[in-house]
Amino acid sequence: MLLCAILALPTLAQGRKNVRINEVMVQQDTTGGNGWVEFYNSSYGTNAVEKMFITTLSREEIQKVFDMNKGTNKKPNQVLLELCDARPMDIYEIPRGDERNTKIAPRTHFVMNADGDPKAGTFHMPFTFTVGKDNYIALYDVNGDLVDDVTIPASLQPGESYAIKAEGRLPSTLGDGKTEWTVKDGKTIETAITKGNYNIREVNENIEAFHVKDPNGFWISILAMSVVFGALALLYILFKLFGKVASRTMSDENKAQSSVAPAIATAASAPATGDVNGETMAAICFALYQHLNAHDNESGVLTLSPRDGSAWASKSGLMRNLPVIKK
């Protein structure tokens, strides 16, 4: 059990840290319309995003709050909750109790509306974005770790979204420097704005590199067959070794048992020496003999003796007994 728990730690650490900001819109059109943020669960496990924090406060401001609370024995989530009470328009905790909606399936998304109305539901944040200026958004875990953040440029116009490039690489760790962002205006298929419909095709660098080195699949075929036949050969060797060990063990037991009977006769006829007499030695040897021969040699033949009057063959036993009515 302890080993399973240790092996599960990397999986737990991977979970929420794979939630990524995928696409952001500041304003839906020139006449207004609230912005939104699309998040993506890039892991292969379901993530419960409740109790995570979304904020427009910079890294420096959040770190300053943590530094002020050093030595107070407060947990990071307590510090962030107090910050939510102090500045409710700048930081938002995804509410608890809405487990049906806040459990995000593997490789799927969820959208948070930046409409300034958290009373409208779980996925409505208390702040809005401003057109014509840089807008910063960050996601923090319950333990105070920064999960992901992005700065939306001031050049983003109403009706446009700031999104990860369509054939880019979604990062598995924060700040790996390999994510490319682009502006979508919705005028073509390539720049379509897909709120709530994650459409990024990831590029697996390992597969692409292997494809270049082995375009016809020759080496991968040899590798696959080698693994299969190597596993079969290993199983054959293990079974052969197991059979030899078992045979040797049984042979040693038979030898030990065959040497007990002569020892009994010898001990019974031997003169008493010291405090142990011949009868005591014989009793000890006989006990050892019985211990090593706990089971009798059975013939392996079953004898079935039919019995008359079986309940299955009794006609009266198959009849229903009617109750006796007293007059």
Side-chain angles (χ1 to χ4, degrees):
M1 293 297 291
L2 179 60
L3 179 61
C4 294
I6 294 174
L7 294 176
L9 288 178
T11 306
L12 295 176
Q14 174 188 359
R16 291 188 173 189
K17 301 204 179 287
N18 281 346
V19 178
R20 288 286 168 262
I21 299 174
N22 170 55
E23 189 172 1
V24 183
M25 175 172 281
V26 173
Q27 186 173 305
Q28 294 186 17
D29 51 50
T30 55
T31 60
N34 299 313
W36 44 264
V37 183
E38 181 182 274
F39 295 88
Y40 178 64
N41 176 18
S42 64
S43 71
Y44 290 91
T46 300
N47 281 325
V49 296
E50 60 178 6
K51 298 185 289 185
M52 297 185 79
F53 295 88
I54 305 174
T55 182
T56 55
L57 298 174
S58 65
R59 293 190 186 186
E60 293 75 15
E61 291 178 281
I62 296 293
Q63 188 59 48
K64 184 178 178 181
V65 174
F66 282 134
D67 293 339
M68 291 173 58
N69 285 272
K70 280 185 177 179
T72 60
N73 296 324
K74 292 181 180 179
K75 295 181 179 179
N77 65 317
Q78 292 177 311
V79 176
L80 292 175
L81 283 173
E82 291 179 358
L83 187 60
C84 287
D85 295 334
R87 304 183 63 173
M89 302 304 295
D90 299 318
I91 184 169
Y92 175 69
E93 182 196 26
I94 300 178
R96 316 174 194 192
D98 189 10
E99 295 182 0
R100 183 175 63 88
N101 295 316
T102 54
K103 283 187 177 180
I104 310 303
R107 320 293 288 179
T108 55
H109 60 270
F110 66 100
V111 176
M112 303 293 297
N113 295 288
D115 54 7
D117 187 15
K119 295 180 181 179
T122 300
F123 298 100
H124 295 262
M125 300 180 291
F127 41 77
T128 59
F129 297 128
T130 304
V131 178
K133 62 171 289 187
D134 290 345
N135 290 274
Y136 175 81
I137 188 77
L139 178 67
Y140 282 84
D141 201 355
V142 67
N143 61 358
D145 290 342
L146 177 63
V147 177
D148 200 7
D149 66 344
V150 66
T151 300
I152 303 94
S155 58
L156 192 70
Q157 299 299 313
E160 295 179 342
S161 70
Y162 192 59
I164 296 178
K165 200 169 182 179
E167 293 187 358
R169 176 180 178 274
L170 197 69
S172 58
T173 57
L174 176 64
D176 64 356
K178 297 182 180 179
T179 305
E180 297 183 25
W181 291 79
T182 186
V183 175
K184 293 184 176 182
D185 57 12
K187 296 180 180 179
T188 63
I189 296 178
E190 290 77 13
T191 61
I193 298 173
T194 55
K195 174 185 177 182
N197 184 19
Y198 181 78
N199 67 341
I200 290 179
R201 180 169 62 85
E202 298 182 50
V203 176
N204 191 312
E205 296 174 350
N206 296 328
I207 294 178
E208 294 296 326
F210 202 91
H211 177 70
V212 173
K213 296 179 181 179
D214 185 24
N216 297 319
F218 177 75
W219 291 110
I220 190 65
S221 300
I222 293 179
L223 178 62
M225 295 180 67
S226 301
V227 170
V228 172
F229 286 106
L232 291 175
L234 181 60
L235 287 173
Y236 173 79
I237 294 172
L238 291 176
F239 280 123
K240 291 291 287 185
L241 291 175
F242 178 78
K244 289 183 177 180
V245 172
S247 299
R248 181 171 298 178
T249 303
M250 293 179 64
S251 176
D252 294 341
E253 289 181 355
N254 293 333
K255 289 180 180 179
Q257 292 175 6
S258 62
S259 63
V260 171
I264 293 176
T266 303
S269 60
T273 56
D275 296 334
V276 181
N277 54 30
E279 294 179 354
T280 303
M281 292 293 295
I284 294 174
C285 293
F286 188 72
L288 289 173
Y289 179 78
Q290 284 189 324
H291 175 72
L292 296 174
N293 296 272
H295 297 280
D296 298 333
N297 292 325
E298 302 291 346
S299 63
V301 178
L302 296 177
T303 303
L304 302 178
S305 300
R307 291 186 302 171
D308 296 332
S310 172
W312 294 100
S314 174
K315 299 296 183 181
S316 60
L318 297 176
M319 302 298 291
R320 186 178 67 173
N321 295 325
L322 295 176
V324 178
I325 302 176
K326 294 182 179 181
K327 298 182 178 180

